[in-house]
Amino acid sequence: MSTPATIDWRSVVREAGPYPPDAYDFLRTGLAHTVEMIHGDDVPATDAARHVSGHQLSLGLRDYAIQQFGLLAGPVLRRWNVRGTEDFGRMVFNLVDAGLMRTSDEDQLEDFVDVYDFEEAFPLPAAV
């Protein structure tokens, strides 16, 4: 999967709903993290060799969020209007609709629904 060097985020966001550009950038880098986690770092550049399922991507994004943001992963994702794994799916299919990402024929939005509970995966930090 390759994306153009310059993305018209205003168009994507206008069409894609409540997710800011930072959320899409997280999705893009989190996808690369997930592909490496699933397939290793010697992955051929073909789409089929780099494919991950919605379930796998959701799990990879959980791990990536915790790696990147630690205890603030939940608040950061919530700030981006990402409140469940289905939001990851909506973002993926928004990028697919914009021609910036591809899926396999078997992929569907339902693959992202309720993969895990956000409140359990990203508990809010305790007040100090």
Side-chain angles (χ1 to χ4, degrees), residues 37-103:
M37 188 174 75
I38 300 293
H39 298 292
D41 56 359
D42 269 345
V43 182
T46 64
D47 287 343
R50 298 177 49 83
H51 183 266
V52 295
S53 70
H55 184 89
Q56 290 170 320
L57 180 56
S58 294
L59 294 173
L61 291 172
R62 178 190 62 195
D63 294 342
Y64 187 65
I66 292 168
Q67 177 186 14
Q68 293 298 304
F69 306 118
L71 294 175
L72 295 177
V76 168
L77 292 170
R78 288 176 186 91
R79 181 171 176 231
W80 293 337
N81 298 310
V82 177
R83 292 178 167 75
T85 55
E86 57 274 6
D87 288 308
F88 293 143
R90 286 187 195 104
M91 291 168 55
V92 165
F93 281 92
N94 289 339
L95 292 176
V96 169
D97 290 345
L100 300 172
M101 192 179 238
R102 289 188 294 263
T103 60

